Amino acid sequence: MVKEIILDNRLIKVNHYEQETINGLHQISIVFDVTSEDYHDIATLLYKGTFEVTVPVAVLFFRATIRNYSTSITNLYEQGQVGEYKLTLLETEI
């Protein structure tokens, strides 16, 4: 069971993980919590749009772009808030 992934050297602890193959490319969908303390770092990371993805327990490594993204809360600047992020990443063709 996948409990964490790594996006560009940033460890993300996941609450939910799904993996599938689409036209021969890896796609993963994750759900994870972001605290107000981590919001800026995560937002900055996600703005990049393309990542080196590592799923250690699945021995999976690939380059991917964001296919879908949503959050349960839009204002994580208030201290003590936690938002649930949903992110789908699709492997990029080389």
Side-chain angles (χ1 to χ4, degrees):
M1 177 169 228
V2 175
K3 292 292 185 184
E4 59 189 29
I5 69 164
I6 301 168
L7 298 181
D8 286 351
N9 299 316
R10 170 76 186 216
L11 181 69
I12 307 285
K13 295 194 179 286
V14 299
N15 301 328
H16 180 77
Y17 175 91
E18 290 181 19
Q19 177 181 325
E20 61 183 304
T21 302
I22 298 177
N23 296 324
L25 302 173
H26 296 290
Q27 177 174 285
I28 64 169
S29 297
I30 60 172
V31 177
F32 61 103
D33 294 331
V34 175
T35 64
S36 55
E37 293 77 23
D38 290 331
Y39 170 69
H40 177 76
D41 291 341
I42 294 295
T44 301
L45 175 66
L46 294 180
Y47 280 130
K48 290 175 56 180
T50 301
F51 316 94
E52 296 296 330
V53 179
T54 304
V55 185
V57 74
V59 192
L60 186 61
F61 177 80
F62 59 96
R63 187 160 182 78
T65 58
I66 295 175
R67 185 166 192 187
N68 195 5
Y69 160 77
S70 66
T71 180
S72 65
I73 188 170
T74 57
N75 186 5
L76 281 171
Y77 286 112
E78 293 180 27
Q79 206 166 22
Q81 298 290 318
V82 177
E84 181 181 78
Y85 279 51
K86 295 180 181 179
L87 180 64
T88 300
L89 301 168
L90 180 63
E91 181 177 13
T92 58
E93 295 185 70
I94 297 174

